[in-house]
Structures are given as structure tokens and as C-alpha cells.
Amino acid sequence: MAPVASPLSPLDLLLKYDQPVPRYTSYPTAAAFSADVGARELGEQLAAPTTAPLSLYVHVPFCRHACWYCGCNKITTQLGSKVVEPYLASLERELELIAAAMPQRRRLAQLHWGGGTPNYLNAEETNRLWELIARHFDLAADLEASIEVNPEFLSRDGVLQLRQLGFNRLSFGIQDADPVVQKAVNRVVPVEQLRRVMGWLREADFASVNVDLICGLPLQTPERFRRTLELVEELRPDRVSLFSFAYLPQQLPLQRRIAASDLPSQHARITMLETAQALLCSRGYEAIGMDHYALAGDSLAAATREDRLHRNFQGYTTGGELELLGVGPTAISQFPHLFCQNQRDLKAWAAELAQGRLPVERGLVVRDPAVLERRELIRQVMCSFAVELDLGRFAPEWGRLQELAADGLVQLQSRGDRGVVQVTRQGRWLIRTVAAVFDPEQRRRASGSRLI
């Protein structure tokens, strides 16, 4: 069946469907987490015998200064080692408790340091953290080790150290390269420093380099953003993450420093998103999921082609169904039937560890087969842009999908009692809206961030 051409423009479609929608890094989403699930459930999960490899996420919460657009869990401080030393001591206790709970050492297939700013740590502290992990886990020979860094504070020696330790993937934020926009969000990194950083990363032979961009920042214009895209074309990273700025000043106090009147119009935002997609896809990048692009030779693009793309609290990943264990304040662990989030306050996290307890603040146990089925349907929409469903059991959803098809967001085919859904190119801007069709809680009470 040929896709239906929408009578609405891309901007009109975004305005029509611009409601709060989750990013679906999990299903159920973190909004369903409860304090009824805690350290006991995580301990029981860790105690289950298994030889399966593991993905480990380490949250480093510290930043030297606050970027006003940021919604991450972070601590802005200039105290350096005075805060890092007690943090590492608590993290060591957390890893010891985890190791004691497991009947055998686990092998790490993936390792990711996020934040905050992981390169807030100095060289000695970075070495210490890597050694702590190696003490408690077996590192796979083909370990995919990635780290997020702030390019403003990155040096050639720092890059070479990270590569020597074993990191082979790295991500850094550009957001916007225009100095006017950078000043408006308190994140000033000169273009020459961005060029130097990319040169050092190529010299160190990182397997994959990702850059983050944000569309919708204050004082951003299509012309300014195009210059940022031209810089990205010059740097030619292996991956590009293009996020749409979620302006939530009521929930994120730092964003109150951004005047709503400085934000680009909805028309300007969709123009920037479309320009970015057209430019990147014409330069050898493949569209991955809803906000990522990767060169054809990158493992993320390969995972997409081979239908191995997965999505978790770290976003899109090649790790498939690897169990994800999170350590550090606010870190989330994700197992097939269990979600656990650590204490989000640094002091509360450290206090739990000092008492010899796994520092879980809240979580969720998921065993209902119907919920697990919906999780898989949402994953297929978010990762593959396509899904097949039972028309008898999902009749209400099929009816809603027909409404989206009328606007050209999806293409539908029925084959007996099965329905096939294919997200169209213009529907990719609204991929979260398509996924939300399979989320009953979202229909009852909208939550998440707006689309534009």
C-alpha cells in the first residue's frame, strides 16, 4: 500500500500532535517507579546464577559549571578531589556490595561512564575508577567502553589516557557551535577547541566518536544552526545525536535563566530539524531511531540494518537484551523483570552505602505478560520503525493507528488477523506519538516532554 500523503505540513503535524510524550527509554517508564521496590529486589536479582554478559553504567555526577539547558542529575562544584575522593570511596563500597551479592564474577560486554561530566575526574582518579571496575568484573576482550566528556576541559593527554585505559567510544557535546547561542546557555566552547578535540580522538584511534547537538536553544536560528551542521560535516564524527530541547523551567530551575522569548519559533525548529536530516543523510549518515544518525560503517548503523538495535536508559544501543547494572547516585539498573534506581541525592546514596545497604531509592517489578508484550511493541516502533500486531487483541490501537495513517504518519497493511505498521519518513518526527499508541497509561494521563 502506498503511503498516504498528509494534507498537513510538517509544522502543522507537529502542532497537532504536540503533547507531552515519554522518550520511551523504558516501558513502563520511570514515572511508574515506586519506593515499594528497593535493595531487597536488586539483591535477589544479583543473586540469580547466570553466565550472561553484563552492561555497566557508572554515573559521575560532578560538573565544573552548569549548562542552563541541562536536565541531568548533576552537582556543580569547583571542589575537585574534595568531592571526588569521598564519591570514589562510596562507589568502591557499592561495587563491593554488588560483588558480594553475585554468586560469580560477571563479564562486562559494555561499559559506559556518564554524568555529569566524567572527565571532571583527574588522571589519577580516572585510573582509580577503571581499576575499581576491573577488580570486580571481568572485562571482555571486545569490551565496548564508552565515556561522555566535556570538550572544554579535554586535553590531548586526557584523550590518550582514556584510550590507553580501554575506552574505545567517546561522546562529546557541541550542542551549538555559535558563540551567541553558547553564551545564552552558559556553555562556551570555541570552535578551535572542538577541532582540536576531534583531532586528538582520531590520533588516539577511537573506534567511534559521537557528537551531541540540540535544536531549539535560545537565540538559535536556522542560519546559525546550519553553520553548526557545517562544522559537524567538517569534523565527520561516526555518530550524531540530534536532540530537541525540552524547555521545562518549572521542573528544572536552571532553565529559568533562559527567557522563553529567546527560544526559536516552532517553524524555525522544524526547519532546523529537517535541514539537519537532509544534510546528514546526503553526507553518508543513516537515520537511527528518532534522534540519532550514524555512518554506514558504524556499529549502530549495522545493528539497525540487522534488527539488533535496542533502547534503554542510555538511549539507543547495540547491546541487545544485555542486563544493565547502574552504579553511582541516580543510576538506573534494568533487568528483564526489574527496574531499580539508586538514591538521587549524593549524600543519601553515600549514607545507604555506609550502612552496608544497596542504595536503591525506587524501582518496579514487571512480570505481567501483557505489559512485556507492549514493551516489545514499543521497542520495535522506536528501534525498527515497524511492528506487527494481533488485530483481535489490539483493535483499539489499530483504530488509533488508522487516524495516524490518515495524517501520513504510518502506513498500514492487514494480513488476515495480523496488522503491519510501518512508520513513514514524516512520521519519524513523531515516533514517540506512534509508540504511545501502545501505552495505556499515556492515554489515561499524558506525561513526558513536548515534541517541539
Side-chain angles (χ1 to χ4, degrees):
M1 180 186 298
V4 174
S6 173
L8 301 176
S9 69
L11 177 59
D12 288 335
L13 284 170
L14 283 170
L15 292 174
K16 178 177 179 178
Y17 291 101
D18 189 22
Q19 299 295 323
V21 191
R23 294 185 63 82
Y24 290 115
T25 50
S26 74
Y27 182 78
T29 67
F33 290 6
S34 163
D36 293 337
V37 174
R40 180 176 64 84
E41 286 78 9
L42 178 57
E44 291 173 351
Q45 175 67 52
L46 294 173
T50 178
T51 58
L54 185 69
S55 178
L56 180 69
Y57 172 75
V58 182
H59 189 75
V60 182
F62 308 110
C63 292
R64 287 182 176 84
H65 59 72
C67 305
W68 295 342
Y69 56 80
C70 184
C72 298
N73 185 290
K74 62 193 177 298
I75 297 167
T76 304
T77 175
Q78 302 294 326
L79 292 176
S81 296
K82 290 184 179 179
V83 292
V84 171
E85 283 301 316
Y87 158 79
L88 289 176
S90 294
L91 197 64
E92 182 173 6
R93 284 192 287 272
E94 184 172 9
L95 291 169
E96 288 170 349
L97 288 172
I98 287 169
M102 296 188 299
Q104 73 287 307
R105 284 173 66 94
R106 296 288 296 272
R107 177 168 58 92
L108 293 187
Q110 288 186 329
L111 171 65
H112 182 75
W113 294 12
T117 307
N119 63 317
Y120 184 95
L121 277 58
N122 63 31
E124 180 182 348
E125 293 157 351
T126 300
N127 273 324
R128 180 179 167 190
L129 178 50
W130 184 277
E131 290 168 0
L132 282 175
I133 294 166
R135 185 186 309 167
H136 295 288
F137 297 95
D138 294 327
L139 306 184
D142 58 348
L143 173 69
E144 183 180 293
S146 60
I147 184 170
E148 301 169 18
V149 300
N150 181 342
E152 181 181 2
F153 303 107
L154 201 59
S155 66
R156 179 177 179 274
D157 287 346
V159 167
L160 296 177
Q161 181 204 17
L162 293 174
R163 187 70 186 93
Q164 185 175 21
L165 279 175
F167 286 104
N168 46 34
R169 300 182 181 278
L170 183 144
S171 178
F172 67 92
I174 293 178
Q175 321 312 357
D176 191 297
D178 187 274
V180 173
V181 178
Q182 290 185 352
K183 185 176 180 181
V185 295
N186 198 39
R187 172 68 180 272
V188 178
V189 185
V191 167
E192 284 309 309
Q193 173 65 0
L194 297 172
R195 290 192 174 107
R196 283 192 291 266
V197 167
M198 184 59 81
W200 297 330
L201 294 172
R202 296 307 186 199
E203 177 188 351
D205 196 26
F206 274 79
S208 182
V209 177
N210 174 85
V211 301
D212 292 340
L213 305 178
I214 299 180
C215 175
L217 294 175
L219 304 183
Q220 206 173 47
T221 65
E223 293 75 21
R224 285 173 174 160
F225 195 60
R226 185 170 186 88
R227 288 195 289 272
T228 295
L229 293 171
E230 290 168 354
L231 174 65
V232 171
E233 183 181 1
E234 172 194 334
L235 299 179
R236 199 156 179 81
D238 304 276
R239 301 177 184 178
V240 178
S241 300
L242 174 58
F243 301 112
S244 188
F245 177 48
Y247 185 56
L248 303 167
Q250 298 307 311
Q251 295 99 304
L252 303 173
L254 270 178
Q255 290 190 0
R256 296 171 193 168
R257 303 191 181 199
I258 297 174
S261 58
D262 285 342
L263 298 175
S265 68
Q266 293 166 318
H267 184 272
R269 288 180 71 152
I270 188 60
T271 298
M272 288 186 277
L273 288 170
E274 290 190 310
T275 298
Q277 172 148 310
L279 190 148
L280 291 170
C281 291
S282 69
R283 298 296 189 272
Y285 289 90
E286 297 180 9
I288 309 293
M290 67 177 181
D291 47 22
H292 283 56
Y293 298 85
L295 292 173
D298 188 84
S299 62
L300 201 65
T304 301
R305 290 192 298 269
E306 298 164 11
D307 199 24
R308 293 185 291 104
L309 193 66
H310 190 58
R311 189 162 173 80
N312 60 24
F313 287 101
Q314 295 169 220
Y316 287 104
T317 172
T318 61
E321 294 297 329
L322 283 177
E323 294 180 342
L324 171 64
L325 176 64
V327 295
T330 203
I332 295 177
S333 297
Q334 187 171 355
F335 300 92
H337 301 290
L338 175 69
F339 298 111
C340 287
Q341 182 169 25
N342 278 355
Q343 293 283 345
R344 286 167 283 181
D345 178 79
L346 179 66
K347 291 182 179 178
W349 169 75
E352 287 292 294
L353 291 165
Q355 295 297 316
R357 294 190 291 264
L358 291 168
V360 180
E361 178 180 346
R362 59 183 191 149
L364 184 68
V365 175
V366 185
R367 295 198 178 276
D368 184 342
V371 175
L372 295 174
E373 182 180 26
R374 289 180 179 275
R375 173 191 293 176
E376 176 58 18
L377 294 174
I378 289 172
R379 185 201 70 79
Q380 290 178 29
V381 170
M382 297 295 295
C383 295
S384 303
F385 298 125
V387 67
E388 184 175 329
L389 61 151
D390 185 311
L391 293 178
R393 290 187 296 112
F394 291 95
E397 287 80 2
W398 189 252
R400 177 61 177 145
L401 288 165
Q402 289 177 325
E403 296 175 16
L404 300 184
D407 279 332
L409 304 184
V410 296
Q411 181 181 356
L412 305 179
Q413 286 184 317
S414 56
R415 301 169 182 169
D417 62 351
R418 307 293 292 177
V420 178
V421 184
Q422 181 72 49
V423 180
T424 64
R425 182 182 178 278
Q426 61 186 357
R428 292 191 179 197
W429 297 122
L430 294 155
I431 189 69
R432 291 188 285 157
T433 299
V434 179
V437 169
F438 300 101
D439 182 355
E441 184 59 33
Q442 182 67 13
R443 292 198 298 274
R444 285 191 288 269
R445 183 180 61 184
S447 64
S449 59
R450 301 182 77 90
L451 299 169
I452 56 174

